Amino acid sequence: MLKPNMHYADLQDSYLFYHIAKKTEAYTKQHVLVQKLYRLGIGDVSLPLCSAVIAALHSAVEDQAKKETFQGYLPECGAPFLREAIAAHYQQRGIAVATDEVFVSSGASDELGDILDLFDKSSKALVIEPAYPAYVDANVIAGREIIHLPASKEDGFTPEPDESLAADIIYICSPNNPTGAVFTKEKLQKWVDYANRRGAVILFDAAYEAFIEDASLPHSIFEIEGARTCAIEICSLSKTAGFTGTRLGYTVIPKELERCGMSLQAMWVRNRTTKTNGVSYIIQRGAAAVFTEEGQRQIQENISVYKQNARVLTAALDKLGIWYCGGKNAPYIWLRCPKGMDSWTFFDYLLEHIQVVGTPGVGFGENGDGYFRFTTFGDPEDTKIAAERLIALLEEKQ
Amino acid sequence: MLKPNMHYADLQDSYLFYHIAKKTEAYTKQHVLVQKLYRLGIGDVSLPLCSAVIAALHSAVEDQAKKETFQGYLPECGAPFLREAIAAHYQQRGIAVATDEVFVSSGASDELGDILDLFDKSSKALVIEPAYPAYVDANVIAGREIIHLPASKEDGFTPEPDESLAADIIYICSPNNPTGAVFTKEKLQKWVDYANRRGAVILFDAAYEAFIEDASLPHSIFEIEGARTCAIEICSLSKTAGFTGTRLGYTVIPKELERCGMSLQAMWVRNRTTKTNGVSYIIQRGAAAVFTEEGQRQIQENISVYKQNARVLTAALDKLGIWYCGGKNAPYIWLRCPKGMDSWTFFDYLLEHIQVVGTPGVGFGENGDGYFRFTTFGDPEDTKIAAERLIALLEEKQ
């Protein structure tokens, strides 16, 4: 009898966003007169792809229509034109990354699941919580021990390593989902030094780096000395360029990263050549347009719209005297639920009274309870109305 | 110290097609006057996407350009429009498959790697050889024991189960890569019965089903009684619709498929919602066009070009009196190397004398030595010239 992977039975309950969807569905069914919900919940973008990307996608579709330009199988690790464009993008920021250290992926969420295949089951995963739920779930599925490191208001939700923690795999997401907190170079240096001392590997989730405004904050773990011997960086165009439904990400694995005499970069080449035939040619062409001058200018225009949303929401929270972090160098705002409400109570309260949908902080870890996440990716007009409703609801009751 | 997945060190040598590429590269460097190679090696298609797919892709790109039609995150298991189209495609052939039993993937090669996550490491994988090398490699990476079942000329390269084999996971590829052999309903029934008796799970690779001509041969494992309690079917548009570089596949997991009280279909939903954000909206729209009446007609036109290639190549082999199988209900032709040559000797011989690149049978398993694979996906003119050169070379020497 085949034994299934019984670790699936260890997964807790179902997925956070599934619950949010069910609750909002139930609400709209019960309230047929409610015409609209103001969605600041799931981190999905609302602006279309920029015109440089659209033009590149159309052109790539045309390539697939003609025999002379038709593209069949591509190299598994990514098309050379895109790997080169991404490496150049790092080099322009003064970070030395070689073309064959860049791997094209279908997105950060896909890669965060797949990359665990590089590690033995015995390795322990450290997750700084609150965190993206899939960090924990993917390791539960693999049967790994998980070390939960709670972040807090006191450490600005960017804790430092604790030498007593026996971590092998370390997840760091900066700018952070869900808290919007950003690790400074000094704090990342402490994590890099800790990882190098222990022989641990940092999985650095840089999906939100494009939202950093403060020039002193690091966009990449490879800005930190010593990171090339201890870190893998996982990036995404989902939020940078609106690729949530178009799907493309990239990963950097330095050649210096070895454990037990094995090169993780070489192992990943072998993984990719065995387990995938790579990402769609059409999508890779669209992604390459993001790294052109025109593409970079256009995506900054979109990002500035989301940043204006952030200013609208943080102004409302400032007015209400609600504690929050994020929103400046990150697309997420993490706030303390008012009046001592727990996360789901506040979720229901906002849905019921002002039809605003956010994300309960407890969905990102137990110590997230009492907190709440807003995203700034919504429609600007909706975000403005949500902010006004928030003020009206909470001023009135205070 | 993080322990890497040491099973990577157990992988044999490097990948078959990598070696072929290196050898042909070395040959062209040494023979600068050779203007052209005739590639019947790697199974890549040569015809562009059909016009129904191109139109759907352009239209989906336009959707991503406008705020009103922009698509962000899609359901992880696949867009409803595509899952429904695929389920309907099964139903039209008289096979009951529910929409939520269909999972959209980035392609069969990706899915064959990912799906192993459903099984415990202790489960033993049975591979009928010669076989697609990734079946073995993906299980080596997972640390699984592999049972090699050699197929042979005597059993028509479609062996029957042997009750002494203690298999938990059973790979069946039909029409087969590399041999082109097709399992009859009777033979598949024996495998299904064996799997149900043992509680094993069949991974049925149906990537080449669209090439079946003989109406009595099964396109799907679910044409076989009892398959819904023991089989997962993995499909691809790569060869059916020329998606090798466009990337899309699909997988069917019946709800009746349970092991140790766990539903593999429910486990896969949980896997997908944890480890992916699904396949690109644009590509899913393109794929849906394949399942329209127009799309089905157009892909048949392309397939008929490849079938004509098969007739050209098999006519040459018939003329030369070389034993082969496949080519009729499959896009692969599997031949016995003439004059007792081993696979790589014949590879070098064809490359050196007539600039034809094929695939050495030994690359698909030890018992493939002495055999050779031609694909029928090449350019028709090239295929014709290759066949003529083959005749000229081997007639002359015989």
Side-chain angles (χ1 to χ4, degrees), chain B residues 267-288:
Chain B
M267 286 170 71
W268 195 237
V269 171
R270 193 61 200 264
N271 178 292
R272 297 290 81 188
T273 52
T274 301
K275 296 198 179 185
T276 180
N277 273 308
V279 175
S280 177
Y281 168 72
I282 296 166
I283 308 305
Q284 292 197 68
R285 278 285 176 205

Side-chain angles (χ1 to χ4, degrees), chain A residues 1-4, chain B residues 122-123 167-168 195-201 258-261:
Chain A
M1 168 75 84
L2 176 131
K3 188 179 166 197
Chain B
S122 67
S123 50
D168 301 309
N196 276 323
R197 272 198 304 278
R198 274 199 57 79
V201 170
E258 290 190 1
R259 290 297 178 267
C260 302

Side-chain angles (χ1 to χ4, degrees), chain A residues 252-320:
Chain A
V252 175
I253 310 182
K255 277 179 234 154
E256 291 91 319
L257 183 56
E258 290 189 2
R259 291 294 179 270
C260 303
M262 291 172 77
S263 155
L264 298 193
Q265 187 267 355
M267 286 169 70
W268 196 236
V269 171
R270 193 62 200 262
N271 177 292
R272 296 292 79 189
T273 51
T274 302
K275 295 198 180 186
T276 179
N277 272 308
V279 175
S280 177
Y281 169 71
I282 296 165
I283 308 304
Q284 291 197 69
R285 279 284 175 206
V290 172
F291 296 97
T292 60
E293 228 172 275
E294 192 192 9
Q296 286 292 304
R297 190 173 43 70
Q298 291 176 350
I299 63 166
Q300 283 308 324
E301 286 167 16
N302 284 5
I303 288 172
S304 70
V305 171
Y306 300 137
K307 288 201 163 288
Q308 177 57 25
N309 285 344
R311 282 190 290 273
V312 166
L313 288 169
T314 54
L317 297 174
D318 284 336
K319 188 165 184 185
L320 292 165

Side-chain angles (χ1 to χ4, degrees), chain A residues 51-92:
Chain A
S51 62
V53 171
I54 292 292
L57 289 168
H58 275 308
S59 163
V61 171
E62 271 316 291
D63 288 346
Q64 296 298 69
K66 293 191 238 39
K67 192 158 179 175
E68 310 78 57
T69 51
F70 177 73
Q71 278 287 339
Y73 286 122
L74 287 137
E76 296 88 348
C77 299
F81 64 78
L82 182 54
R83 298 177 87 183
E84 283 160 19
I86 294 167
H89 183 67
Y90 273 99
Q91 288 151 14
Q92 281 156 18

Side-chain angles (χ1 to χ4, degrees), chain B residues 7-8 13 79 92 108 114 149 157 167 212 215 251 289 333 344 358 363 376 385 398:
Chain B
H7 297 301
Y8 278 84
D13 204 351
Q92 280 156 18
D114 290 346
L149 177 61
F157 287 99
I212 292 174
T251 299
I333 297 167
W344 280 111
T376 61
I385 297 171
Q398 262 171 349

